[in-house]
Amino acid sequence: KEPKPLCTIPSEYVTRSVRPTAYSHLTHFLQTIIDPTTLQNILNTYRIGITKAGDTIFFQIDTQGRCRTGKIMKYDPATGHRIKDENTPSKVTWVHSVLKSRKALAEDWQLTQCLFGEHLLSKCPGRTVALVESEKTAVICSALMPEYVWLATGGKSQLGDKLNVLKQRTIVAFPDVDGYQEWKKKASELPGLRITVSDYLETTATPEEREAHIDIADRLIAQLRDGTLVPPEDCPTETPALSHYGTPLENPDFLQIAQYISPEYQGVVAVFMDELGLVPIDVRPASQN
């Protein structure tokens, strides 16, 4: 049997809801850490929508520009934290569910998810992919560490088939502080992916940070506020606290030996050198050894 056509959301729903200058509870918070011009660019780039109630829509748009769905989420404008109060109705809803309830989608419409930010891959073909759990985390980190292309799985348990689109890319995964062991195990079971799971939070988080269930964006925001993180416009290189997770393919030590490595293995070697702090001692063609 021929596979059923992929079900998607009509593009007009995305176009109508992406309003970078409109107020939302999340953007109200993001303005405290990201300058207005950068924030508007990010909202446009990631195609982030805003509802009439001020909620945020994280659209999932694939590499072919097709919208798979959108996650509608409520945030506290003061803290930027997602609202999890059980007394708050519709804390998380989905665009496809809303449209189906309005009869705007067919009854047999079926959901097939993709990574949040997946559509950015074609725009950044040589850039290292940074993978996180939360869509909000990807947005914040894209402003504070723009040397990566930041994508989100949408949850701790979503490290699976969605990642097939990342084959041939160099990937650094930044799990939340309580997700390192699970992502390390899952990453080892994903064939054909050049993925390194960062232990940065695992090895540096304080007991208070673990209790707060922080992610990499929380750490960057804390560093920004205490002055240990310089905003990208003032510091175009890697951030000091995460310098060893910079852009491995641009490592000058790696560039010395890149010409002797097959292209399909360059990403793996670059990440390996970066992780272990390796430097070349002697670089010669094999015929001269």
Side-chain angles (χ1 to χ4, degrees):
K1 295 182 180 180
E2 294 184 3
K4 293 182 179 180
L6 184 73
C7 295
T8 60
I9 303 294
S11 60
E12 58 262 29
Y13 291 105
V14 179
T15 303
R16 287 207 304 259
S17 62
V18 176
R19 298 173 292 144
T21 59
Y23 173 86
S24 80
H25 305 307
L26 178 59
T27 54
H28 178 83
F29 167 76
L30 293 179
Q31 288 172 352
T32 66
I33 56 174
I34 303 173
D35 71 87
T37 300
T38 299
L39 180 57
Q40 287 192 27
N41 288 338
I42 288 173
L43 296 175
N44 259 323
T45 300
Y46 278 94
R47 309 297 290 158
I48 296 174
I50 297 172
T51 70
K52 292 180 180 179
D55 299 333
T56 299
I57 309 174
F58 294 113
F59 287 108
Q60 294 181 10
I61 303 174
D62 64 22
T63 53
Q64 298 183 41
R66 302 170 299 188
C67 180
R68 304 290 188 88
T69 188
K71 189 188 294 185
I72 307 172
M73 305 180 75
K74 295 180 179 294
Y75 288 90
D76 184 321
T79 65
H81 294 157
R82 182 162 63 88
I83 294 177
K84 301 179 181 180
D85 184 358
E86 293 300 326
N87 297 320
T88 302
S90 303
K91 297 183 296 298
V92 178
T93 52
W94 296 85
V95 169
H96 68 273
S97 298
V98 173
L99 293 179
K100 288 183 79 170
S101 70
R102 297 175 181 173
K103 309 299 182 184
L105 295 178
E107 284 295 323
D108 60 352
W109 193 99
Q110 294 183 352
L111 172 64
T112 305
Q113 295 191 61
C114 68
L115 294 169
F116 170 72
E118 184 177 303
H119 63 288
L120 302 179
L121 292 172
S122 60
K123 298 178 181 180
C124 311
R127 194 178 302 177
T128 299
V129 172
L131 202 61
V132 293
E133 296 181 28
S134 158
E135 296 89 350
K136 184 192 79 173
T137 299
V139 169
I140 293 173
C141 291
S142 70
L144 300 182
M145 293 183 66
E147 63 267 26
Y148 290 112
V149 52
W150 291 87
L151 309 182
T153 63
K156 186 189 302 182
S157 63
Q158 300 299 309
L159 201 72
D161 292 343
K162 289 182 184 179
L163 272 63
N164 288 337
V165 72
L166 299 180
K167 290 182 178 179
Q168 308 306 318
R169 301 294 291 250
T170 299
I171 312 160
V172 180
F174 292 94
D176 291 3
V177 71
D178 59 348
Y180 174 74
Q181 296 299 336
E182 182 173 341
W183 273 27
K184 186 75 172 176
K185 180 178 183 298
K186 286 188 175 182
S188 68
E189 298 168 351
L190 296 174
L193 290 176
R194 303 195 298 258
I195 181 169
T196 300
V197 180
S198 168
D199 64 353
Y200 174 65
L201 292 181
E202 175 73 8
T203 57
T204 63
T206 66
E208 293 77 17
E209 288 176 323
R210 290 187 181 279
E211 185 176 353
H213 303 290
I214 71 161
D215 60 22
I216 190 65
D218 294 320
R219 174 61 66 82
L220 291 177
I221 292 171
Q223 293 176 345
L224 185 68
R225 288 175 171 167
D226 67 16
T228 58
L229 174 65
V230 180
E233 58 267 24
D234 298 326
C235 181
T237 57
E238 302 94 344
T239 54
L242 296 174
S243 58
H244 62 296
Y245 288 114
T247 308
L249 292 174
E250 296 177 358
N251 184 328
D253 293 321
F254 168 75
L255 294 177
Q256 290 185 49
I257 64 172
Q259 60 184 311
Y260 305 117
I261 302 171
S262 298
E264 65 266 28
Y265 298 117
Q266 288 185 0
V268 177
V269 174
V271 171
F272 185 67
M273 290 179 61
D274 205 53
E275 284 287 312
L276 299 181
L278 301 178
V279 296
I281 300 299
D282 187 18
V283 180
R284 297 180 283 181
S287 60
Q288 297 182 17
N289 290 337

